[in-house]
Amino acid sequence: MSEIINNSKVRVEKLKQLILEIHEGKPIELAKEELTKMLGSIPYGEVVQAEQELIAGGMAAEEILKYCDLHSEALKGSINLSASKIVAEGHPVDTLIKENQSITKQIEAIRLFKRELQIEDLSKERLEVVILNIRGGLNSLMDIEKHYVRKENLIFPYLEKYEITGPPTVMWGKHDETRGFLKSSAKVFDTEEELSREDILSFYEFLFDQALISIEEMIYKEENILFPMCLDTLTEIDWYEIYSQSDSIGYCLYAPEVKWKPEIDLPKEDKSITSNRVQLSTGSFTLNELEAVFKSIPVDLTFVDKEDTVKYYSHGKERIFERNNAIIGRKVQFCHPPSSVHIVEKILSDFKAGIEDEAKFWINFKDKYVHIAYYAVRGSQGEYLGTLEVTQDVNQYKQLEGERRLLTYDK
Amino acid sequence: MMNLLITPDITVNELLNEYPQLEDKFIEIAPVFSKLKNPILRKTIARVTTLKQASVVGGVEIGELINKLRKAVGQDEEIVTQFKEEKESGKPNWVTVKTVKFEYDASIDINNGMHPVAKVTKEAEALKDDEIYILITPFIPAPLIDVIRNKGYETFTEERGTNVFATYISRK
């Protein structure tokens, strides 16, 4: 018996050492190799144990997180996909499973930061960082709405078509329960009072943990019951219809990278879409032209509608702030760091009330001098339609002097 | 007029602000909440947690929690009196002569966090004049009964067992 305990101790020590080495700059590849060798024989509990001991010893959760990615990367390929049939990349079920992986990662990160809360003499500065990260994690989890809505509005109706009504009904109830826990969790932070370490710990223990558990239980139910059942029941045409309508709802913490082609003859692509002109009051575009024009403007645009939902972003050659399609359909309040969300709220409410029409900021960001402007978008009657964010690097304009009247190409 | 009705949707703070005497009872039903005596928890958690959520965290059936709390402040009696004019005479006549068309046991759905009100109002619309819809719930669904009655139905609720209530619904 003692031998086993010792071995376990040794492994935990070894793991800690490896994490520390990564922390000190050991090449990831090397560490990965050692880790892969070890992981086959390491129970997950020991990994948690090692992380716990490092945090108790004063290592920041962010450091461990770096390793977490590595850990899941090393595990890649050894995880059994529980879906009964292997699905093609880009298939709606593949996307749902990938979203679940992103959600799980987010939950792991939250739990790591929570472990720091158990350190009794945690410094005030560190506590602030931990709280911001936990709130940020909660904000990210709000994206789960899109995952649930795609199930409720796209997948469940097809199951009902085949007279499978039980599981969808029960799941829908569970979705609502999770939504309730997340909503209540977010309310904890609507207070002017400063939250202490004990406050956040109790919040975690009595509310937030339950939200995380119900999210995890749902992932388990999806991957072990719902997805296999759907794959056995729905036809390729059903899946194609679901796939075609998924974009409009949006994705959760993940954006599909591959277009999925079902194994059926698709209706010929509608050519009218390329000849369809969008008629505006001062001229018109084809859709292709419109898309290309937005891409060639040297500023990054993001449009949020009057319900505060992100509807569109342009993606030029070099976007300053990274965006991907996972942001479409997300409430703008959950796209900003918790520390600045009150500013976002203030701008939106001033725009909606008609008090203000623009708000501008400029910041140093990496090697750029970034100008960020928010404009209220109003209809012909002055009614509020949404807000446009325009972001650009203004370094090149700041440095201009004199004149340039001759054609010169900037390299 | 009844005081605040105890339902799964009210928050722990709403409950304890209205009925401070329930604090001990609440902790007795869900011991995990013994920390409620701590002002921190009252400030952060109780403010935002509904009784339904508390029942999940505390591992208690929602029906048991609601019924015990209602009983402790005599609200069960109040509700029964309010929704049962024929308290003395047992079942009203219509319950005995009409035929039961549907019976829906919502206990599991309610424990899973669902609100049966939309489903019940939709299904009750299909009732003919001589038919009855029976709804089974883990506590008396007072707000739902209000909604149904306002839509022109009559109802009668009886206790069938511990945390099992049957509500008969029919057109007037």
Side-chain angles (χ1 to χ4, degrees):
Chain A
M1 241 0 244
S2 65
E3 195 183 315
I4 294 171
I5 293 167
N6 279 341
N7 275 347
S8 169
K9 268 208 171 118
V10 168
R11 281 198 302 261
V12 170
E13 282 307 316
K14 178 86 184 120
L15 263 174
K16 278 162 69 177
Q17 192 191 328
L18 204 58
I19 299 171
L20 283 168
E21 284 170 359
I22 294 169
H23 175 51
E24 284 155 11
K26 180 176 188 159
I28 296 276
E29 280 311 310
L30 260 179
K32 196 177 152 178
E33 211 171 297
E34 282 186 48
L35 197 65
T36 317
K37 265 189 227 159
M38 289 169 59
L39 266 174
S41 59
I42 289 205
Y44 188 68
E46 289 181 13
V47 178
V48 172
Q49 176 74 24
E51 291 170 355
Q52 181 71 50
E53 288 181 18
L54 284 166
I55 285 182
M59 184 181 267
E62 293 92 322
E63 283 299 330
I64 307 261
L65 269 180
K66 282 184 197 165
Y67 157 82
C68 256
D69 286 354
L70 198 73
H71 169 213
S72 47
E73 207 178 315
L75 275 176
K76 234 183 231 164
S78 64
I79 297 172
N80 281 333
L81 267 190
S82 39
S84 63
K85 301 178 185 175
I86 296 297
V87 285
E89 208 172 348
H91 183 285
V93 170
D94 174 65
T95 301
L96 286 161
I97 290 174
K98 295 227 169 77
E99 286 178 333
N100 283 344
Q101 288 166 354
S102 299
I103 295 165
T104 305
K105 221 168 165 173
Q106 191 56 249
I107 291 177
E108 272 179 24
I110 292 168
R111 291 214 165 112
L112 273 173
F113 281 104
K114 179 254 168 177
R115 280 189 218 141
E116 275 197 62
L117 289 174
Q118 283 154 325
I119 300 169
E120 283 182 21
D121 53 0
L122 195 66
S123 73
K124 199 166 172 335
E125 295 72 36
R126 192 58 208 160
L127 176 67
E128 268 174 29
V129 173
V130 170
I131 292 180
L132 274 183
N133 275 287
I134 289 178
R135 281 188 69 182
L138 169 61
N139 280 353
S140 297
L141 288 179
M142 290 294 185
D143 229 26
I144 213 159
E145 183 63 17
K146 289 180 272 176
H147 182 93
Y148 289 169
V149 169
R150 290 211 319 284
K151 281 168 68 187
E152 290 161 358
N153 295 357
L154 299 178
I155 295 200
F156 292 173
Y158 284 94
L159 284 176
E160 280 155 19
K161 194 172 88 175
Y162 298 105
E163 292 179 350
I164 298 174
T165 54
T169 313
V170 173
M171 274 199 172
W172 201 309
K174 283 283 170 202
H175 290 175
D176 286 347
E177 194 170 273
T178 303
R179 287 176 170 124
F181 275 117
L182 287 172
K183 206 167 115 193
S184 297
S185 296
K187 274 191 202 155
V188 166
F189 295 103
D190 313 337
T191 166
E192 293 300 306
E193 290 180 50
E194 204 168 303
L195 295 163
S196 69
R197 190 178 68 91
E198 289 83 1
D199 283 338
I200 298 288
L201 261 180
S202 323
F203 152 69
Y204 188 92
E205 186 182 346
F206 284 96
L207 198 63
F208 198 28
D209 196 32
Q210 198 56 57
L212 303 183
I213 290 169
S214 58
I215 291 171
E216 285 174 324
E217 282 176 348
M218 182 52 72
I219 290 177
Y220 181 84
K221 285 196 187 90
E222 285 175 3
E223 301 194 351
N224 291 283
I225 303 164
L226 180 74
F227 298 163
M229 188 168 69
C230 291
L231 290 168
D232 288 341
T233 312
L234 273 53
T235 66
E236 201 75 346
I237 293 172
D238 295 336
W239 286 120
Y240 185 66
E241 286 172 1
I242 290 169
Y243 173 79
S244 311
Q245 299 170 71
S246 294
D247 266 352
S248 63
I249 295 176
Y251 303 96
C252 162
L253 302 175
Y254 164 81
E257 293 143 17
V258 181
K259 277 201 159 51
W260 174 64
K261 287 216 167 37
E263 295 166 12
I264 44 170
D265 291 335
L266 293 177
K268 283 272 176 289
E269 193 143 324
D270 193 357
K271 279 280 179 278
S272 71
I273 203 113
T274 46
S275 60
N276 243 353
R277 299 194 76 79
V278 180
Q279 185 62 50
L280 305 169
S281 58
T282 52
S284 68
F285 290 106
T286 66
L287 280 180
N288 277 351
E289 288 167 350
L290 191 60
E291 173 99 42
V293 164
F294 274 120
K295 269 192 181 154
S296 57
I297 301 177
V299 297
D300 297 338
L301 305 173
T302 305
F303 176 67
V304 175
D305 73 4
K306 65 176 192 292
E307 312 292 341
D308 302 344
T309 304
V310 179
K311 283 291 197 210
Y312 171 83
Y313 68 94
S314 67
H315 211 311
K317 283 190 203 74
E318 293 179 33
R319 225 183 188 289
I320 296 167
F321 300 118
E322 203 33 58
R323 298 246 194 284
N324 67 36
N325 282 0
I327 202 175
I328 305 294
R330 192 177 295 171
K331 287 279 182 224
V332 69
Q333 287 82 352
F334 302 131
C335 308
H336 286 80
S339 51
S340 65
V341 77
H342 62 285
I343 301 169
V344 175
E345 292 277 14
K346 170 97 179 97
I347 294 172
L348 290 175
S349 75
D350 288 345
F351 284 4
K352 286 174 190 169
I355 306 168
E356 298 292 343
D357 274 320
E358 49 186 59
K360 294 168 183 163
F361 303 83
W362 42 96
I363 58 171
N364 286 306
F365 179 72
K366 295 179 180 166
D367 54 349
K368 300 183 172 77
Y369 193 56
V370 181
H371 187 274
I372 307 161
Y374 295 93
Y375 300 104
V377 176
R378 303 197 186 278
S380 52
Q381 309 297 313
E383 73 280 16
Y384 176 77
L385 299 176
T387 291
L388 185 68
E389 178 195 71
V390 180
T391 307
Q392 56 186 319
D393 179 6
V394 291
N395 250 339
Q396 52 169 333
Y397 304 117
K398 264 187 73 186
Q399 289 156 3
L400 297 182
E401 283 177 353
E403 293 183 332
R404 176 195 280 175
R405 290 172 167 258
L406 300 172
L407 171 62
T408 316
Y409 288 115
D410 292 313
K411 287 290 172 261
Chain B
M1 189 55 215
M2 217 180 329
N3 290 351
L4 174 78
L5 181 67
I6 299 175
T7 68
D9 298 326
I10 64 169
T11 64
V12 176
N13 256 4
E14 284 170 337
L15 175 85
L16 297 182
N17 292 343
E18 181 88 12
Y19 307 105
Q21 71 275 28
L22 279 181
E23 188 176 67
D24 290 335
K25 188 77 203 165
F26 189 73
I27 292 167
E28 177 195 320
I29 304 167
V32 70
F33 282 97
S34 58
K35 290 195 177 173
L36 272 178
K37 298 227 180 254
N38 175 339
I40 284 178
L41 227 73
R42 286 294 294 270
K43 185 180 77 183
T44 52
I45 312 306
R47 182 171 60 89
V48 301
T49 307
T50 63
L51 293 189
K52 174 72 189 91
Q53 290 169 346
S55 76
V56 175
V57 175
V60 206
E61 295 269 304
I62 183 67
E64 186 187 344
L65 181 68
I66 297 291
N67 292 327
K68 281 186 171 167
L69 293 172
R70 282 180 179 176
K71 209 177 176 68
V73 291
Q75 202 168 77
D76 54 338
E77 279 304 310
E78 282 180 70
I79 295 172
V80 168
T81 330
Q82 186 185 347
F83 289 121
K84 219 161 108 179
E85 298 87 347
E86 309 84 356
K87 200 165 178 265
E88 301 311 310
S89 55
K91 290 186 185 183
N93 194 27
W94 60 267
V95 170
T96 45
V97 298
K98 292 185 178 183
T99 48
V100 175
K101 173 93 191 293
F102 298 104
E103 180 161 321
Y104 163 44
D105 186 339
S107 307
I108 293 171
D109 284 348
I110 288 173
N111 270 313
N112 278 329
M114 270 181 62
H115 277 275
V117 65
K119 182 178 158 85
V120 174
T121 45
K122 194 174 134 202
E123 290 180 349
E125 274 173 20
L127 285 177
K128 296 196 180 72
D129 283 348
D130 61 344
E131 293 173 334
I132 288 179
Y133 183 99
I134 299 181
L135 169 70
I136 310 289
T137 49
F139 50 87
I140 302 180
L144 184 143
I145 293 174
D146 266 343
V147 170
I148 285 279
R149 289 189 167 196
N150 287 335
K151 287 184 184 284
Y153 296 88
E154 50 189 346
T155 73
F156 162 78
T157 303
E158 66 178 1
E159 192 167 354
R160 284 196 179 173
T162 314
N163 304 332
V164 183
F165 293 87
T167 299
Y168 296 74
I169 300 168
S170 176
R171 293 185 186 280
K172 272 190 177 151

